[in-house]
Amino acid sequence: MKSVPPLIAVLLVVVALAGCGQRNPPAVTKSPPPTLASVVVHAQTAHDEQVWDGVVEAVNQATITAQTNARVLELPHDVNDIVAKGDVLVRFTDVEQKSARSAAQAQVASAEATYKEAAASYKRIEAVYAKGYVSAAQLDQQRAQRDAAQAALASARAQLDQVGQALDYTVLRAPYAGIITRRYVQVGEAVQAGPPSPQPLIALQSLDDLRVNVQVPQSAVDAIRRFHAADVLPGGARRVAASSVSVFPYADPNTHTFNVRLQLPGGDTGLYPGMTVKVAFATGEAKRLLLPVSALVQRGELLGVYVLDEHGAALRQLRIGHRYADQVEVLAGLDDGERVATDPAAAARWLTGNRSSGNKHGVAP
């Protein structure tokens, strides 16, 4: 029997050992996709915009003037004080007004007595006239006296109302809730209701109802009229949608610009009268890839999102554009139809836990 060469014998042993093991190699298992809150990003219709500067102003603002001649007795509030509707702003001396009211009340009482006497006399004459004891001329004379007394009573009552109104003018109250922006008088100062014009006392502005005035060139007016939609940009990425947009029907002959007025919604918008803001007017429509702002991740100066697929999650850098309410435009870094995590903190925790368990498919946050 021939001997087997040593090299061939070694090969046979290796083949035999391989046959004793598993016939199929172990498959590489993929990590299941993370069970995270997510959204599929799609292109949506959004407005093209033009941005112009505007000024915030109060819809309700007034300079309260003197309506009676008096001396300032009390100024309960100063500049920058916030007042409620009906709060006393100025209190005047009222000695003259009260004296005039007392005189007017006495005049009314006298006129009432005169009228009652004239009315009673007319009734008596009317009864006697029916029996033929007095002439028609006497009846007419008594009727005229009654009517004159009635007219005098009406005049006295009107004078009392006028004097009472002048007394009411000695206490000026806030016509609406707002903030005092200027005070023109001091305690002890005498004021005049005119002529030539009433004296200014207090300037008041309401913070509850605001609007923005914008001057736009005539080339942009047609698009603004067509869409009637605009957002106020107070600063940063925040936007405040205007509740209405009104374009004035005429241009300034000196600047050839149109005034556009935006009504702001109620509530805390962070805007105050006198502020300058940017206003973005809708001028067209286009398809844009929009992403929820809550899905963004800030890493220094870089912005990104956690993209989810069958391999897990990965942090991807983005380049973003305009913000539209609670969504932001994606300019680069994301494709239509991709799924992103809407809770970046949860996605980061999932990646950290998966990496510590030995999974290599996720990208570290």
Side-chain angles (χ1 to χ4, degrees), residues 41-45 287-290 336-337:
V41 180
H42 292 294
Q44 303 178 37
T45 301
K287 287 288 187 179
R288 303 182 188 279
L289 196 64
L290 300 181
D336 192 324

Side-chain angles (χ1 to χ4, degrees), residues 10-333:
V10 172
L11 292 176
L12 292 174
V13 173
V14 172
V15 172
L17 290 175
C20 296
Q22 298 179 356
R23 296 184 179 273
N24 296 325
V28 179
T29 59
K30 294 182 179 180
S31 299
T35 55
L36 300 171
S38 61
V39 64
V40 178
V41 180
H42 292 294
Q44 303 178 37
T45 301
H47 291 299
D48 287 332
E49 296 178 334
Q50 290 185 0
V51 179
W52 307 98
D53 292 326
V55 178
V56 182
E57 67 177 24
V59 175
N60 295 319
Q61 52 182 324
T63 299
I64 300 174
T65 58
Q67 294 177 283
T68 186
N69 300 332
R71 188 177 300 276
V72 178
L73 181 65
E74 183 183 359
L75 291 169
H77 302 283
D78 204 346
V79 177
N80 295 329
D81 286 351
I82 296 177
V83 297
K85 181 180 180 180
D87 284 355
V88 175
L89 300 180
V90 186
R91 193 183 300 275
F92 298 104
T93 56
D94 55 3
V95 176
E96 295 180 2
Q97 287 78 8
K98 286 183 176 179
S99 298
R101 183 181 63 178
S102 298
Q105 288 173 341
Q107 187 69 26
V108 169
S110 175
E112 286 177 346
T114 303
Y115 171 70
K116 287 180 181 179
E117 181 182 359
S121 298
Y122 173 73
K123 287 183 178 179
R124 288 193 300 267
I125 294 297
E126 187 179 29
V128 174
Y129 174 77
K131 297 178 181 180
Y133 294 130
V134 296
S135 64
Q138 290 176 311
L139 179 65
D140 292 340
Q141 182 182 7
Q142 196 62 43
R143 182 188 297 113
Q145 291 178 359
R146 184 203 62 179
D147 293 345
Q150 186 177 16
L153 176 59
S155 176
R157 286 174 175 171
Q159 181 65 25
L160 178 60
D161 291 340
Q162 182 178 359
V163 172
Q165 186 64 55
L167 183 60
D168 292 340
Y169 289 153
T170 61
V171 179
L172 298 183
R173 300 181 181 274
Y176 42 76
I179 184 171
I180 297 175
T181 58
R182 188 171 179 181
R183 199 174 74 175
Y184 295 89
V185 293
Q186 301 298 329
V187 174
E189 184 176 346
V191 300
Q192 299 290 328
S197 60
Q199 183 173 344
L201 304 173
I202 295 287
L204 181 69
Q205 289 188 2
S206 173
L207 302 181
D208 295 333
D209 199 5
L210 302 178
R211 64 191 178 195
V212 179
N213 277 329
V214 188
Q215 299 291 331
V216 300
Q218 60 187 29
S219 59
V221 169
D222 289 341
I224 294 174
R225 282 200 179 105
R226 185 165 60 251
F227 289 94
H228 274 85
D231 289 338
V232 179
L233 315 178
R238 193 165 64 92
R239 285 183 170 230
V240 178
S243 55
S244 65
V245 177
S246 301
V247 183
F248 282 30
Y250 57 88
D252 188 318
N254 297 320
T255 62
H256 310 294
T257 60
F258 282 80
N259 188 46
V260 182
R261 180 172 291 171
L262 288 73
Q263 184 68 37
L264 295 177
D268 185 13
T269 59
L271 299 173
Y272 299 93
M275 292 178 59
T276 58
V277 292
K278 298 290 185 181
V279 180
F281 290 99
T283 57
E285 291 183 341
K287 287 288 187 179
R288 303 182 188 279
L289 196 64
L290 300 181
L291 175 75
V293 176
S294 60
L296 292 176
V297 181
Q298 184 80 36
R299 292 291 185 267
E301 296 181 356
L302 303 179
L303 287 174
V305 291
Y306 287 101
V307 181
L308 308 182
D309 57 18
E310 68 275 8
H311 299 296
L315 181 61
R316 188 183 300 174
Q317 182 181 347
L318 300 181
R319 185 162 62 92
I320 63 173
H322 287 296
R323 179 170 176 172
Y324 301 89
D326 58 348
Q327 294 184 311
V328 65
E329 178 187 9
V330 178
L331 300 178

